[in-house]
Amino acid sequence: MSLKDSINLEKLPKHIAVIMDGNGRWAKQQGKNRIFGHKNGVNAVREVSEACAELGVKYLTLYAFSSENWNRPKLEVSALMELLVRTIGSETKTLMKNNIRLKTIGSIDTLPSRAQEQLNSVKEETKNNTRLTLTLALSYGGRAEIVDACKKIASQVKKGEISEQDITASTINRHLYDPEIPDPELMIRTSGEYRISNFLLWQSAYTEFYFTEEFWPDFNKESMYQAILAFQSRERRFGKTSEQIKSV
Ligand code: IPE
Ligand code: IPE
Ligand code: MG
């Protein structure tokens, strides 16, 4: 039986988040520069988007550029921005054909204006697509997202629109960058690093983590199937005992 056929389609994660790491090391391995690695990372983005759409995963969120990545060498940052603009432009047709909706989370207003315009137009064009929601985390930081939510809530309290006692976890949820996107059940990180690097901090409270040694440009559909199978073999207990979970 193929890996794909072993997946239980009734128990698919609804939302998968990916920390796409290892482009630089992948390139270095072949004696190329880091930018070459980023360019090849685009193929893996295509692969995982297709795999998720085909299986019926509804949300895929990709960490493409962190708020800390602005501290990289200028040349690498501008190459990444250029690659973003070019890729979005060339992939719009495929998104439409595959019925994929594009969204973004992060401080989008800090991106170069051309990238912002390009993103806005593709988000608008794909907004009624229903098969998969592909969210790019760009200039994204989990702490900044929580800080921004706190600011919005504080201003509502100040205006008397809500009272301090009414603040709950759902209030925070409602003020995240995109409240419509559910928490990820599965988070994947490639390249053999075992950390969260400021990604979806609030949303990953009960997320299952999957780590692989593969560098991002090598990650393909089969790698995604493996991650989903690992997820399906786990027991998610949410603080309860194993016996309680089995009795329902
Ligand atoms: C991930 O690959 C892509 C981005 C962070 C933009 P890296 O560029 O971090 O690659 P490594 O970790 O240096 O190999
Ligand atoms: C995390 O990767 C950010 C993205 C994948 C966009 P990094 O390569 O920036 O993370 P650290 O610096 O190794 O933690
Ligand atoms: Mg890295």
Side-chain angles (χ1 to χ4, degrees):
M1 199 154 70
S2 73
L3 279 179
K4 189 180 183 184
D5 293 331
S6 316
I7 294 174
N8 179 350
L9 297 177
E10 313 277 286
K11 285 190 175 162
L12 275 181
K14 190 172 176 199
H15 180 187
I16 300 178
V18 187
I19 303 177
M20 312 185 286
D21 200 11
N23 294 350
R25 281 163 284 164
W26 182 87
K28 197 173 173 191
Q29 244 182 7
Q30 3 210 328
K32 300 275 174 46
N33 66 20
R34 300 179 53 83
I35 318 292
F36 181 75
H38 297 314
K39 284 184 182 152
N40 280 275
V42 176
N43 301 327
V45 170
R46 222 174 276 126
E47 287 262 320
V48 296
S49 310
E50 250 182 57
C52 287
E54 284 166 8
L55 286 170
V57 172
K58 298 310 284 182
Y59 294 86
L60 174 66
T61 300
L62 303 176
Y63 204 7
F65 194 83
S66 74
S67 43
E68 288 75 25
N69 288 149
W70 289 113
N71 299 319
R72 291 195 178 191
K74 263 206 179 79
L75 210 64
E76 181 170 349
V77 171
S78 57
L80 278 166
M81 293 303 148
E82 184 54 39
L83 185 62
L84 174 70
V85 172
R86 235 181 323 126
T87 308
I88 295 192
S90 63
E91 296 295 314
T92 312
K93 265 202 202 123
T94 318
L95 293 176
M96 289 310 290
K97 194 181 84 200
N98 292 334
N99 195 9
I100 298 174
R101 169 171 68 160
L102 186 81
K103 284 193 162 194
T104 55
I105 49 172
S107 305
I108 303 303
D109 58 344
T110 62
L111 298 175
S113 54
R114 221 155 59 87
Q116 290 187 44
E117 286 156 22
Q118 180 86 265
L119 284 165
N120 285 338
S121 102
V122 183
K123 284 195 270 188
E124 179 61 28
E125 196 177 337
T126 61
K127 73 174 181 204
N128 294 320
N129 291 347
T130 53
R131 193 162 166 221
L132 169 74
T133 298
L134 172 64
T135 305
L136 297 180
L138 290 164
S139 190
Y140 175 88
R143 286 187 169 177
E145 181 174 34
I146 298 170
V147 169
D148 287 348
C150 290
K151 284 183 183 158
K152 289 181 226 161
I153 298 166
S155 110
Q156 290 187 343
V157 172
K158 198 171 161 195
K159 285 191 237 155
E161 291 168 5
I162 56 168
S163 81
E164 192 186 319
Q165 282 73 25
D166 294 337
I167 301 173
T168 62
S170 345
T171 320
I172 310 251
N173 279 332
R174 280 198 302 277
H175 290 88
L176 296 175
Y177 290 138
D178 193 326
E180 185 255 347
I181 304 171
D183 291 346
E185 290 96 333
L186 171 62
M187 188 182 288
I188 299 169
R189 183 168 189 150
T190 58
S191 87
E193 305 292 352
Y194 304 91
R195 54 179 172 268
I196 197 161
S197 301
N198 206 8
F199 193 36
L200 302 178
L201 296 180
W202 174 267
Q203 297 90 332
S204 59
Y206 265 102
T207 298
E208 294 292 334
F209 288 87
Y210 176 86
F211 298 100
T212 164
E213 297 296 313
E214 270 176 308
F215 291 137
W216 178 248
D218 289 330
F219 198 89
N220 57 23
K221 287 188 180 181
E222 296 295 311
S223 324
M224 181 52 97
Y225 301 150
Q226 253 160 16
I228 295 174
L229 284 168
F231 168 82
Q232 292 189 334
S233 73
R234 300 189 192 171
E235 183 181 63
R236 303 186 73 206
R237 291 193 283 277
F238 301 97
K240 296 183 176 174
T241 66
S242 185
E243 289 69 27
Q244 284 176 299
I245 302 296
K246 289 196 180 96
S247 69
V248 288

